[in-house]
Short mmCIF file of all heavy atoms in Angstrom, two decimals:
data_model
loop_
_atom_site.label_atom_id
_atom_site.label_comp_id
_atom_site.label_asym_id
_atom_site.label_seq_id
_atom_site.Cartn_x
_atom_site.Cartn_y
_atom_site.Cartn_z
N TRP A 248 -13.15 16.88 -23.29
CA TRP A 248 -13.08 18.40 -23.75
C TRP A 248 -12.90 19.26 -22.49
O TRP A 248 -12.05 20.22 -22.53
CB TRP A 248 -14.41 18.67 -24.44
CG TRP A 248 -14.42 20.11 -24.98
CD1 TRP A 248 -13.70 20.62 -26.10
CD2 TRP A 248 -15.27 21.13 -24.58
NE1 TRP A 248 -14.01 21.84 -26.35
CE2 TRP A 248 -14.96 22.18 -25.44
CE3 TRP A 248 -16.24 21.28 -23.65
CZ2 TRP A 248 -15.56 23.49 -25.35
CZ3 TRP A 248 -16.82 22.46 -23.47
CH2 TRP A 248 -16.52 23.61 -24.31
N LEU A 249 -13.59 18.95 -21.44
CA LEU A 249 -13.47 19.71 -20.19
C LEU A 249 -12.01 19.59 -19.61
O LEU A 249 -11.40 20.57 -19.22
CB LEU A 249 -14.50 19.31 -19.17
CG LEU A 249 -15.93 19.67 -19.44
CD1 LEU A 249 -16.87 19.05 -18.43
CD2 LEU A 249 -16.11 21.17 -19.52
N TYR A 250 -11.57 18.36 -19.60
CA TYR A 250 -10.17 18.14 -19.14
C TYR A 250 -9.15 18.81 -20.01
O TYR A 250 -8.14 19.34 -19.53
CB TYR A 250 -9.84 16.67 -19.19
CG TYR A 250 -10.01 16.02 -17.81
CD1 TYR A 250 -11.22 15.43 -17.45
CD2 TYR A 250 -9.01 16.11 -16.81
CE1 TYR A 250 -11.45 14.82 -16.23
CE2 TYR A 250 -9.17 15.49 -15.58
CZ TYR A 250 -10.42 14.92 -15.25
OH TYR A 250 -10.65 14.36 -14.02
N ARG A 251 -9.42 18.96 -21.29
CA ARG A 251 -8.52 19.64 -22.18
C ARG A 251 -8.51 21.14 -21.81
O ARG A 251 -7.39 21.76 -21.77
CB ARG A 251 -8.88 19.43 -23.66
CG ARG A 251 -7.85 20.07 -24.56
CD ARG A 251 -7.76 19.37 -25.89
NE ARG A 251 -8.78 19.83 -26.75
CZ ARG A 251 -9.48 18.97 -27.60
NH1 ARG A 251 -9.25 17.78 -27.63
NH2 ARG A 251 -10.37 19.51 -28.29
N ILE A 252 -9.63 21.68 -21.67
CA ILE A 252 -9.67 23.18 -21.29
C ILE A 252 -9.01 23.36 -19.89
O ILE A 252 -8.19 24.33 -19.78
CB ILE A 252 -11.17 23.62 -21.26
CG1 ILE A 252 -11.81 23.49 -22.65
CG2 ILE A 252 -11.19 25.13 -20.82
CD1 ILE A 252 -13.24 23.92 -22.73
N ALA A 253 -9.31 22.53 -18.98
CA ALA A 253 -8.73 22.71 -17.67
C ALA A 253 -7.19 22.60 -17.75
O ALA A 253 -6.49 23.39 -17.11
CB ALA A 253 -9.26 21.66 -16.67
N THR A 254 -6.70 21.65 -18.47
CA THR A 254 -5.19 21.49 -18.67
C THR A 254 -4.67 22.75 -19.34
O THR A 254 -3.70 23.31 -18.84
CB THR A 254 -4.92 20.23 -19.56
OG1 THR A 254 -5.55 19.10 -18.95
CG2 THR A 254 -3.41 20.04 -19.56
N ASN A 255 -5.26 23.16 -20.42
CA ASN A 255 -4.69 24.31 -21.17
C ASN A 255 -4.77 25.54 -20.19
O ASN A 255 -3.80 26.41 -20.24
CB ASN A 255 -5.50 24.57 -22.46
CG ASN A 255 -5.26 23.49 -23.41
OD1 ASN A 255 -4.29 22.73 -23.39
ND2 ASN A 255 -6.12 23.43 -24.42
N GLU A 256 -5.90 25.78 -19.61
CA GLU A 256 -6.02 26.95 -18.71
C GLU A 256 -5.03 26.98 -17.62
O GLU A 256 -4.42 27.96 -17.27
CB GLU A 256 -7.43 27.01 -18.05
CG GLU A 256 -8.46 27.35 -19.10
CD GLU A 256 -8.32 28.73 -19.67
OE1 GLU A 256 -8.29 29.65 -18.92
OE2 GLU A 256 -8.07 28.88 -20.88
N SER A 257 -4.70 25.70 -17.05
CA SER A 257 -3.75 25.67 -15.98
C SER A 257 -2.35 25.98 -16.50
O SER A 257 -1.57 26.72 -15.86
CB SER A 257 -3.72 24.26 -15.37
OG SER A 257 -5.00 23.95 -14.85
N LEU A 258 -2.02 25.38 -17.58
CA LEU A 258 -0.63 25.63 -18.23
C LEU A 258 -0.56 27.07 -18.55
O LEU A 258 0.55 27.69 -18.42
CB LEU A 258 -0.44 24.71 -19.39
CG LEU A 258 -0.37 23.19 -19.09
CD1 LEU A 258 -0.17 22.40 -20.35
CD2 LEU A 258 0.79 22.93 -18.14
N THR A 259 -1.53 27.66 -19.13
CA THR A 259 -1.47 29.12 -19.48
C THR A 259 -1.32 29.97 -18.27
O THR A 259 -0.45 30.80 -18.16
CB THR A 259 -2.80 29.54 -20.21
OG1 THR A 259 -3.03 28.70 -21.28
CG2 THR A 259 -2.71 30.97 -20.73
N PHE A 260 -2.07 29.60 -17.21
CA PHE A 260 -1.96 30.28 -15.92
C PHE A 260 -0.49 30.27 -15.44
O PHE A 260 0.10 31.25 -15.02
CB PHE A 260 -2.89 29.71 -14.98
CG PHE A 260 -2.77 30.29 -13.53
CD1 PHE A 260 -3.43 31.48 -13.20
CD2 PHE A 260 -1.90 29.71 -12.58
CE1 PHE A 260 -3.25 32.01 -11.94
CE2 PHE A 260 -1.79 30.23 -11.35
CZ PHE A 260 -2.52 31.41 -10.95
N LEU A 261 0.06 29.03 -15.47
CA LEU A 261 1.43 28.84 -14.97
C LEU A 261 2.47 29.64 -15.76
O LEU A 261 3.38 30.24 -15.21
CB LEU A 261 1.86 27.39 -14.92
CG LEU A 261 1.11 26.51 -13.88
CD1 LEU A 261 1.50 25.03 -14.09
CD2 LEU A 261 1.47 27.00 -12.51
N SER A 262 2.25 29.66 -17.12
CA SER A 262 3.28 30.38 -17.91
C SER A 262 3.15 31.91 -17.72
O SER A 262 4.11 32.58 -17.66
CB SER A 262 3.17 29.98 -19.35
OG SER A 262 1.99 30.60 -19.91
N GLN A 263 1.89 32.41 -17.54
CA GLN A 263 1.73 33.80 -17.23
C GLN A 263 2.39 34.18 -15.88
O GLN A 263 3.05 35.19 -15.76
CB GLN A 263 0.22 34.18 -17.14
CG GLN A 263 -0.42 34.30 -18.56
CD GLN A 263 -1.87 34.40 -18.44
OE1 GLN A 263 -2.50 34.19 -17.35
NE2 GLN A 263 -2.52 34.67 -19.63
N GLN A 264 2.15 33.23 -14.89
CA GLN A 264 2.81 33.55 -13.63
C GLN A 264 4.24 33.51 -13.67
O GLN A 264 4.98 34.26 -12.99
CB GLN A 264 2.23 32.44 -12.65
CG GLN A 264 2.25 32.89 -11.26
CD GLN A 264 1.56 31.93 -10.34
OE1 GLN A 264 1.68 30.71 -10.46
NE2 GLN A 264 0.63 32.44 -9.50
N LYS A 265 4.76 32.57 -14.48
CA LYS A 265 6.26 32.49 -14.64
C LYS A 265 6.79 33.75 -15.26
O LYS A 265 7.82 34.27 -14.85
CB LYS A 265 6.51 31.30 -15.60
CG LYS A 265 7.99 30.83 -15.54
CD LYS A 265 8.07 29.66 -16.49
CE LYS A 265 9.57 29.41 -16.82
NZ LYS A 265 9.63 28.28 -17.79
N LYS A 266 6.04 34.23 -16.26
CA LYS A 266 6.46 35.50 -16.84
C LYS A 266 6.52 36.67 -15.83
O LYS A 266 7.45 37.45 -15.83
CB LYS A 266 5.44 35.88 -18.01
CG LYS A 266 6.04 35.61 -19.39
CD LYS A 266 5.06 36.07 -20.49
CE LYS A 266 4.89 35.00 -21.47
NZ LYS A 266 3.58 35.10 -22.19
N ARG A 267 5.43 36.71 -15.06
CA ARG A 267 5.33 37.79 -14.12
C ARG A 267 6.46 37.79 -13.02
O ARG A 267 6.92 38.80 -12.61
CB ARG A 267 4.01 37.79 -13.37
CG ARG A 267 2.86 38.47 -14.16
CD ARG A 267 1.70 38.79 -13.25
NE ARG A 267 1.06 37.57 -12.69
CZ ARG A 267 0.17 36.92 -13.25
NH1 ARG A 267 -0.36 37.33 -14.39
NH2 ARG A 267 -0.39 35.90 -12.67
N SER A 268 6.93 36.57 -12.67
CA SER A 268 7.74 36.36 -11.55
C SER A 268 9.20 36.03 -12.06
O SER A 268 10.01 35.53 -11.33
CB SER A 268 7.31 35.45 -10.60
OG SER A 268 7.21 34.17 -11.21
N SER A 269 9.48 36.27 -13.43
CA SER A 269 10.63 35.83 -13.97
C SER A 269 11.92 36.40 -13.37
O SER A 269 13.02 35.94 -13.49
CB SER A 269 10.67 36.07 -15.49
OG SER A 269 10.49 37.43 -15.77
N ILE A 270 11.69 37.58 -12.64
CA ILE A 270 12.86 38.25 -12.03
C ILE A 270 13.24 37.57 -10.74
O ILE A 270 14.37 37.26 -10.43
CB ILE A 270 12.55 39.77 -11.77
CG1 ILE A 270 12.04 40.41 -13.02
CG2 ILE A 270 13.82 40.46 -11.27
CD1 ILE A 270 11.07 41.50 -12.83
N SER A 271 12.18 37.18 -10.00
CA SER A 271 12.47 36.58 -8.64
C SER A 271 12.70 35.09 -8.71
O SER A 271 13.32 34.54 -7.87
CB SER A 271 11.42 36.94 -7.67
OG SER A 271 10.13 36.52 -8.28
N LEU A 272 12.20 34.45 -9.78
CA LEU A 272 12.29 32.99 -9.79
C LEU A 272 13.03 32.51 -11.08
O LEU A 272 12.70 33.01 -12.15
CB LEU A 272 10.91 32.31 -9.73
CG LEU A 272 10.19 32.53 -8.45
CD1 LEU A 272 8.72 32.05 -8.68
CD2 LEU A 272 10.77 31.73 -7.33
#
Side-chain angles (χ1 to χ4, degrees):
Chain A
W248 185 68
L249 292 173
Y250 263 93
R251 185 153 80 222
I252 298 176
T254 306
N255 291 343
E256 288 296 301
S257 303
L258 293 178
T259 307
F260 175 86
L261 289 177
S262 75
Q263 282 169 349
Q264 205 168 48
K265 194 178 166 184
K266 256 184 228 158
R267 277 199 297 271
S268 60
S269 58
I270 308 150
S271 55
L272 294 169

